[in-house]
Structures are given as C-alpha cells and as structure tokens.
Amino acid sequence: MSTTAVRTNVPVITSVRARAVNVPLKYPVRTSVGIIATSPLVLIDMSTDAGVVGRAYLFTYTPLALEATRQMVLALGRSIEGQPLSPFELDRGFAQRLRLLGRTGVALMACAGIDMAAWDALAVHQGLPLVTLLGGRPRPVPAYDSHGMDGKALGVERAARARDEGYKAIKTKVGYATLEEDLDIVHALRKATGPDMAIMVDYNQGLAVPEATRRILALQDEGIAWVEEPTLQEDYRGHASIRAKVRVQVQMGENWCGVDEMTKALDAGACDLAMPDAMKIGGVTGWLRAAALAQVRGIPMSSHIFQEVSAHLMAVTPTAHWLERMDLAGPILGRPLSFEDGSAVIGDEPGIGISWNEEAASRYAV
C-alpha cells in the first residue's frame, strides 16, 4: 500500500472542545492532608473529519484549577487542528512545543487529556474497544474499592458493602491524629471484611519519615497489603528508607508526572509497587511507556482513579495488579463503568466507552 493511500485512511482533527463541570461526590474524599468535597472535571470532545468524536475527562482536584486547565486544553487543541489523528505524533509534537516551558502541571494534564481523547477517537474510528486496538481483549479487571478517611462507622459500613458486592480488596485512607486511631480503624475494617479480603492503607504523604516508619512498623502485623505514599511523594530517598525498615509493601506513583519521574523513583528503590495516574503519567501513550518500564523492572502496576480508561489500560499491562474503583465522573457519564463480583467489566462498544449525560453536564457546568 502506498504512503498516500495510508494517509487517506487517517482521520484529521477538526476541533477540540473543553467544558468545565463540578460534580457532587456521594462520599467526599477525606484525607490526612485535606478534603476533596466535589469532583472538578474538564470534559474533552475531539472531533474529526470522519465524523468521529473522541472523549476524555481530566480531574483537577480543586475547582480553582478548572478554568486554567480548560483554557490549556483549548489552546493545545487549536494547535493540532488539521493534523492527522495519530496519538504518538501528537505526543511528539507536544513534547517539542512545550520543551522550554516544560510539560508539567496544567500543561501535562491538558496534553494527557488530548492524548486520551485521541486514542478514544482512533478506537471508535476502527470500531474497536480501546483494549482491542492496543492488542488486548476485553476481560474482567480485578478492582479494589477505594474509600476515604471515613471514620469507624462509615468505614465499616462501606467495607461491609464492598465485601457483599464481591470485592476482594479495599483501601482506606489513614493518618489520624494518633497511631492508636489508625490501628483502631484497621481492626474495625478487618472485623467487617473477614480474614480473606486485602486491606490497603494510604497516608497521602501526610507523615515525616520517622513517624511513617513508626506507624508502619506497628501496622505491619495487621495483614496490610500495602502502605501508600507514607511521606512526601518526591522524597524518594525517604520512601526507600522506610521501605528498608518495614515488611509491608510500599506503594506510590499517583503523583509521578511522566515516566521520567517513575524511573527516578524505581532507581531510588522507593517502592515495591507502582500506581501511575493516567492523567499525570501522560495519557494512554504515557501509560504504555510506564507499563513497559514496570515489566522490565518486575514491578506490579495498579491504576489511580480514571477507572474508565484505566480498565482498558490495565487489561494490556503485563504486570497488572489492581484497578482502583473510585467513581469521580459517574454522574455526568451516559453509561458509567460496570463492576461485577469485584471486577471492572469492559464493554464491547468502540473506544473507551465514554459518553456524556448532557443534562447532568449542563446542571453541573461551571
């Protein structure tokens, strides 16, 4: 086939649209360092000359970042109008365009959102689920139910519900005022779930290295499956120090901004497990690079939020571990991701499977 013939089969990007919404959460995400009371999202629609639309969303953590993120998506979107729908080429172009500014922060997030929308559009154009386009197949992806710093009563209620719904693992956020409170919560959750369910704990970077070490040493005989971000995520040496003194596996990665940061953390021996965030690691393109790195290093790899696209990505990750179930976008989706017997169920519709509930998107528009 000639080069010209190949090019004619590739759709061309005609526009990128971005909207800001602020979605209520059934359970505010309470952590040791703050509360996420709502889900601020930027909804992205990438249109092509083939009549195909690719969709993705970004999570900005705080409503303060919504407009800046939306404007960056729009600016980058205008820069790729008229270009072929080729995610790797788009990624290369963004890397060059942003070299002097740096592809971090809002710029990184916007690039990742466009990347995810581009991969969605490409899969829709081919009539394939994203996982199939990437060379895998739709299959159930084991998930853990992710909870906040809920306190004992709500924590036990949510843990028991997860158990009854077939989940084999839950995660709770800890870092209460005292170690005794952390232990009390873990004991209560274990009593609610029984001995066979995995329990992970997340400190959300809330402790100094000596205190983190002290608390984990006290927790490690409680059957904890992993302890996540016990200290500042950029303190790779601190994580390595903690890891050297405890038996519990150390998890980190949701705040790695690109694969370079993942490489530095693994080189420093900072963690036993990896948990990239689809947005911060660089979208689908960045995730594929991270998955290859995890495979080479023999590191089990889990996902962080963005459960819709992450289900497809986990299904093609060689060292796939756990999908995080935390529904941040469900109220504005046409059909939220399904879970059965503790696993995410990838549908057979083309692309990622994202569509918007336009009535809800209008209601929660910022």
Side-chain angles (χ1 to χ4, degrees):
M1 185 179 292
S2 69
T3 301
T4 303
V6 171
R7 285 177 179 168
T8 59
N9 290 327
V10 178
V12 170
I13 298 166
T14 56
S15 67
V16 176
R17 182 187 181 201
R19 295 175 282 171
V21 297
N22 198 20
V23 179
L25 291 172
K26 182 177 181 181
Y27 299 107
V29 183
R30 301 178 185 276
T31 77
S32 61
V33 295
I35 300 173
I36 300 174
T38 60
S39 181
L41 306 173
V42 175
L43 313 184
I44 301 172
D45 295 89
M46 176 182 288
S47 299
T48 72
D49 66 350
V52 167
V53 178
R55 297 180 176 90
Y57 66 84
L58 299 173
F59 175 64
T60 68
Y61 291 85
T62 170
L64 294 174
L66 272 173
E67 184 58 16
T69 306
R70 188 182 77 87
Q71 289 295 338
M72 181 60 80
V73 171
L74 291 173
L76 291 173
R78 286 191 291 270
S79 76
I80 60 173
E81 289 179 3
Q83 293 190 25
L85 184 62
S86 174
F88 287 119
E89 292 300 319
L90 295 175
D91 179 77
R92 184 179 294 114
F94 286 149
Q96 181 176 353
R97 182 179 291 267
L98 297 172
R99 185 161 290 127
L100 297 180
L101 172 66
R103 189 154 54 152
T104 59
V106 169
L108 171 72
M109 292 162 57
C111 288
I114 289 174
D115 179 89
M116 290 186 280
W119 277 104
D120 183 51
L122 189 61
V124 172
H125 179 68
Q126 296 292 336
L128 299 170
L130 176 61
V131 61
T132 307
L133 181 71
L134 295 175
R137 61 178 177 81
R139 61 176 179 83
V141 179
Y144 70 85
D145 205 25
S146 190
H147 304 164
M149 203 171 180
D150 295 326
K152 188 185 293 187
L154 179 58
V156 165
E157 176 187 324
R158 296 183 71 184
R161 184 182 304 123
R163 177 202 63 205
D164 294 344
E165 291 175 353
Y167 290 92
K168 305 301 187 292
I170 60 170
K171 184 173 79 180
T172 187
K173 296 184 183 296
V174 290
Y176 290 87
T178 66
L179 168 60
E180 288 69 28
E181 289 173 276
D182 285 352
L183 287 167
D184 192 37
I185 286 292
V186 171
H187 291 159
L189 296 182
R190 176 58 69 199
K191 184 176 180 180
T193 62
D196 298 328
M197 180 176 280
I199 297 177
M200 301 85 149
V201 299
D202 184 0
Y203 276 103
N204 285 105
Q205 311 179 58
L207 302 175
V209 172
E211 179 64 9
T213 304
R214 184 180 81 91
R215 293 201 185 198
I216 297 169
L217 286 172
L219 282 167
Q220 65 185 9
D221 292 328
E222 303 299 329
I224 299 299
W226 79 49
V227 58
E228 189 174 332
E229 288 192 333
T231 194
L232 294 174
Q233 77 88 23
E234 64 269 23
D235 185 2
Y236 302 146
R237 291 179 62 186
H239 275 86
S241 171
I242 294 168
R243 183 177 169 229
K245 296 171 184 173
V246 303
R247 298 193 308 272
V248 182
Q249 290 189 309
V250 174
Q251 172 74 278
M252 69 184 307
E254 69 182 70
N255 288 299
W256 288 333
C257 291
V259 179
D260 288 348
E261 291 193 0
M262 177 179 178
T263 304
K264 292 175 183 176
L266 298 185
D267 284 347
C271 55
D272 301 279
L273 309 169
M275 180 191 280
D277 176 289
M279 176 179 72
K280 292 181 181 178
I281 205 67
V284 175
T285 301
W287 181 281
L288 296 177
R289 293 170 180 152
L293 178 59
Q295 181 183 22
V296 170
R297 301 295 185 92
I299 302 291
M301 188 157 135
S302 298
S303 66
H304 177 250
I305 60 177
F306 296 100
Q307 58 189 31
E308 296 80 16
V309 67
S310 294
H312 292 263
L313 297 175
M314 288 289 289
V316 296
T317 297
T319 61
H321 195 195
W322 289 103
L323 174 86
E324 180 173 35
R325 185 216 181 191
M326 181 178 281
D327 190 5
L328 298 176
I332 52 89
L333 296 180
R335 189 177 72 83
L337 181 66
S338 296
F339 290 84
E340 294 180 5
D341 196 28
S343 293
V345 179
I346 301 173
D348 57 4
E349 64 270 28
I352 297 170
I354 289 179
S355 62
W356 309 128
N357 177 337
E358 291 294 347
E359 187 277 328
S362 296
R363 187 189 328 146
Y364 301 127
V366 175

